[in-house]
Amino acid sequence: FFRALHRHSFSMNSASGQRKLTVGVVALAAIPLAVWLIRRSAGSKVELHEYQKDFLDSMAEAQGLGGPGPALQVIVDKAMSDDGVQKAIFNDVHCVHCGSVAPP
């Protein structure tokens, strides 16, 4: 690859040629990074039970939030900004199906 660039467009010994090579390599590396960042920022996929979706729909309607996504975001924001809520969620996890404090 580098030999082809060297022979095709410029001399590797020149400062200008070295700069062009560096820019080219950085650009080639940036493309996959940009694609990854765009896909990552597209949002998250969350799978819910029907009763969880019903709860978020009801919460959204009651608070005028516009849908289950914004309702979930309100819950996440509260959990991340309030130490007591965060500890209750992450330190004292209880399985709603089996009641276990430390579900498998």
Side-chain angles (χ1 to χ4, degrees):
F1 172 73
F2 292 112
R3 285 184 183 171
L5 284 175
H6 172 65
R7 280 184 273 127
H8 184 267
S9 60
F10 53 84
S11 169
M12 288 295 287
N13 294 330
S14 73
S16 175
Q18 188 67 30
R19 197 171 318 120
K20 286 180 183 179
L21 175 62
T22 302
V23 169
V25 169
V26 169
L28 286 175
I31 292 169
L33 177 62
V35 169
W36 177 78
L37 287 171
I38 290 168
R39 285 186 178 173
R40 185 172 169 235
S41 67
S44 300
K45 180 180 178 182
V46 177
E47 293 185 25
L48 301 172
H49 292 281
E50 190 64 32
Y51 71 90
Q52 293 168 320
K53 172 76 166 62
D54 291 343
F55 173 82
L56 291 174
D57 287 336
S58 297
M59 180 182 170
E61 185 177 334
Q63 296 185 13
L65 297 173
L72 181 58
Q73 189 63 53
V74 167
I75 294 169
V76 170
D77 290 345
K78 178 69 173 176
M80 298 313 290
S81 65
D82 184 319
D83 284 340
V85 174
Q86 189 176 26
K87 287 177 184 173
I89 292 171
F90 296 107
N91 294 351
D92 300 325
V93 176
H94 295 268
C95 178
V96 296
H97 299 288
C98 69
S100 173
V101 177

